[in-house]
Amino acid sequence: MVFGIRAVIEAIDSGKEIESLFIQRGLSGSLLLELKALIKEHNIGYQQVPVEKLNRITRKNHQGVIAVISPITYQNIEDILPEIYEKGETPLLLMLDGVTDVRNMGAIARTAECAGVHAIIVPKKGSAEINPDAIKTSAGALYKIPVCRQDSLGKTGKFLIDSGVQLVVSTEKTKDSVYDVDYTVPTCVIMGAEDVGVSDDLIRISDKLAKIPMFGGIGSLNVSVSAGVVIYEAIRQRNIQ
């Protein structure tokens, strides 16, 4: 955690990944203008909050600004995908749309890393923070698997399609089973938040919709469990060829 306007400016200038940024509501001054220019340049999201919230985070002199530094370095899928192809490997990617629980994020990352998923794709806004709880739940997997934080999942989805990757959305809005999909081709599995699922924008551009069969009374799985089911079906298919 970094607090103080100058300290946060220096952190951004040095290339630190900002996980979250809090700015006191009503704050002003030339130094703040310099910080906001950097925020705009680096496309960093921030929240304007009352001073009471900042005081709850730290008792030290925060000057109205607190930043949380990410423990990992985010990557771009536009850089990673060509490398996968160059190695002669078949891409297996995981996109998380609106998964905000840090423990779910950690559990999914652990499964994905164990299964050999090439990268996890998340949006810049509306995604779980990569914080100590997420790292702990992932058993360190978040240090090993590339995490790509993208401006727009819709644009990223179209990039993947143009790059020969099929988009497979895990959703209840279909009769087709996850076991009927061919995962031996380049694939990006898309998982959504448990309450609202995958966004309509991603569903519209996807190649396949697939659901996990349910036979009990509850009718739904935790998103980290669902991700494991689909990922390992892909691994099963690829390993029997």
Side-chain angles (χ1 to χ4, degrees):
M1 191 165 60
V2 177
F3 43 85
I5 301 177
R6 175 57 64 188
V8 172
I9 288 173
E10 290 174 356
I12 296 172
D13 275 335
S14 67
K16 298 291 186 184
E17 295 276 3
I18 305 299
E19 187 65 41
S20 52
L21 176 60
F22 305 99
I23 298 177
Q24 181 180 325
R25 196 172 292 143
L27 198 65
S28 61
S30 58
L31 207 54
L32 181 66
L33 291 176
E34 183 181 342
L35 172 60
K36 286 193 172 181
L38 266 182
I39 289 171
K40 185 176 181 180
E41 178 185 344
H42 293 274
N43 194 25
I44 298 170
Y46 68 94
Q47 298 178 49
Q48 289 187 309
V49 298
V51 66
E52 290 80 9
K53 178 166 183 174
L54 300 178
N55 291 339
R56 286 196 297 270
I57 296 174
T58 179
R59 295 177 179 272
K60 297 184 180 180
N61 182 21
H62 50 68
Q63 299 176 317
V65 176
I66 298 176
V68 178
I69 305 298
S70 174
I72 68 169
T73 300
Y74 289 102
Q75 301 186 46
N76 291 316
I77 192 60
E78 291 89 347
D79 299 325
I80 292 177
L81 189 58
E83 295 176 0
I84 300 170
Y85 281 125
E86 287 169 9
K87 292 177 183 176
E89 298 176 359
T90 303
L92 179 57
L93 310 170
L94 181 61
M95 182 183 289
L96 304 179
D97 179 21
V99 176
T100 57
D101 185 276
V102 294
R103 290 177 178 82
N104 279 337
M105 171 67 78
I108 290 169
R110 182 174 184 173
T111 299
E113 200 283 330
C114 288
V117 170
H118 290 99
I120 297 173
I121 302 168
V122 298
K124 276 194 173 180
K125 295 181 180 179
S127 180
E129 288 187 4
I130 307 299
N131 61 18
D133 281 341
I135 297 290
K136 182 178 179 180
T137 309
S138 78
L142 282 165
Y143 288 133
K144 298 183 178 184
I145 188 168
V147 179
C148 304
R149 189 161 63 172
Q150 306 292 128
D151 290 329
S152 166
L153 293 188
K155 290 180 180 178
T156 301
K158 291 176 182 176
F159 163 77
L160 293 175
I161 292 169
D162 292 341
S163 303
V165 178
Q166 71 169 347
L167 305 185
V168 179
V169 172
S170 177
T171 176
E172 293 302 303
K173 299 176 181 179
T174 181
K175 294 181 179 179
D176 298 328
S177 168
V178 293
Y179 302 114
D180 296 328
V181 177
D182 179 6
Y183 300 97
T184 62
V185 299
T187 299
C188 177
V189 174
I190 306 177
M191 309 297 302
E194 291 176 36
D195 52 349
V196 295
V198 175
S199 67
D200 290 338
D201 288 344
L202 284 173
I203 288 177
R204 274 193 291 268
I205 66 171
S206 67
D207 299 283
K208 304 282 185 181
L209 303 182
K211 69 176 181 179
I212 298 172
M214 298 289 165
F215 304 102
I218 295 177
S220 67
L221 295 171
N222 173 276
V223 65
S224 65
V225 175
S226 296
V229 170
V230 182
I231 289 169
Y232 269 93
E233 170 58 18
I235 297 305
R236 183 193 69 81
Q237 289 186 18
R238 291 181 179 206
N239 285 339
I240 62 175
Q241 285 211 328

